[in-house]
Amino acid sequence: MFNLQEQLLKLQEDEVEIHSEFEFNKVDATIAKRTLNSLTDKLVVNGQNINEPDTFDLLQCFARDLPAIEPKMIARALDMLVTGFDNEIKALANLLNTPGQDPTVHSESLDRYAFVFQWIIERGESVVSQSRAATAAAASDKAKGRKRRGVPSTVGSSSGATVSDVVPGWKGKLADLYALLQQLLRMPLGR
């Protein structure tokens, strides 16, 4: 059973366990896109497929490797996740309208979506702030006549840019996510 609170603590302590060895940052872009397409096929058809261990592990790998992933792929993944989350919320709403049904059957998948979104948002914002710091340090070194090695990551590659400047549709997808969260919080779940 997935425990959101426990997993968020592990995320803070950088101790998240991922049982897949897949690394988005070390595979060819074609393989990464194919993997993302397979995830999209699973989650768009049924939002509860996030509970499948292989699917969830790949999503965690995606979140972990976010700094090295092409911004267009990040945008596609956000679309997929928002759509899967939306489908799960709609399924829950339909269940709540049917007397005698147990809405807790959706709790684990909703918790998993929340976890993946939290991780992706944290990584995206963290990469941009690290990129800004690296850009500022490089500018300082340049002014002092020193050269600094190291290349900013893919997500934060535009100096001074925000995630929404780099990842197409970032702001819109986050707004969609927050609207879905608001819709979920208004449901009579008793929790």
Side-chain angles (χ1 to χ4, degrees):
M1 182 82 179
F2 183 81
N3 183 318
L4 179 59
Q5 182 178 5
E6 182 180 300
Q7 293 303 314
L8 288 173
L9 287 173
K10 285 182 178 183
L11 181 60
Q12 282 181 335
E13 297 167 0
D14 205 21
E15 296 177 359
V16 175
E17 295 175 25
I18 304 174
H19 303 287
S20 173
E21 297 299 318
F22 191 86
E23 295 185 41
F24 279 88
N25 56 347
K26 292 186 179 178
V27 297
D28 181 66
T30 305
I31 294 170
K33 287 177 185 175
R34 210 174 299 145
T35 302
L36 189 59
N37 287 339
S38 73
L39 287 172
T40 301
D41 292 343
K42 286 182 178 184
L43 295 179
V44 170
V45 168
N46 183 353
Q48 282 198 319
N49 284 338
I50 196 169
N51 294 327
E52 294 176 4
D54 292 342
T55 301
F56 189 63
D57 281 346
L58 282 173
L59 288 171
Q60 290 184 98
C61 291
F62 182 84
R64 177 197 64 208
D65 299 337
L66 190 78
I69 297 173
E70 175 185 323
K72 287 182 182 177
M73 282 183 57
I74 295 171
R76 287 185 57 218
L78 285 173
D79 283 339
M80 167 209 32
L81 287 165
V82 168
T83 301
F85 189 51
D86 185 33
N87 290 341
E88 243 338 74
I89 291 173
K90 286 176 182 172
L92 177 61
N94 288 336
L95 197 68
L96 289 171
N97 291 329
T98 308
Q101 297 294 318
D102 181 16
T104 60
V105 298
H106 292 278
S107 63
E108 186 169 343
S109 55
L110 292 170
D111 285 350
R112 286 176 188 259
Y113 278 106
F115 177 74
V116 171
F117 278 124
Q118 176 67 28
W119 199 353
I120 287 173
I121 292 168
E122 276 184 20
R123 293 290 285 172
E125 297 298 333
S126 170
V127 167
V128 168
S129 60
Q130 288 172 5
S131 175
R132 284 185 185 146
T135 301
S140 173
D141 287 347
K142 186 177 179 181
K144 294 176 183 175
R146 290 185 277 183
K147 290 186 178 180
R148 180 179 286 265
R149 290 187 178 190
V151 179
S153 64
T154 304
V155 172
S157 61
S158 300
S159 62
T162 64
V163 182
S164 58
D165 294 334
V166 178
V167 178
W170 177 269
K171 274 185 182 177
K173 286 301 155 197
L174 288 186
D176 293 346
L177 169 63
Y178 293 138
L180 289 171
L181 285 171
Q182 186 177 34
Q183 182 181 348
L184 179 63
L185 292 172
R186 289 182 179 161
M187 292 181 177
L189 300 176
R191 112 176 223 210

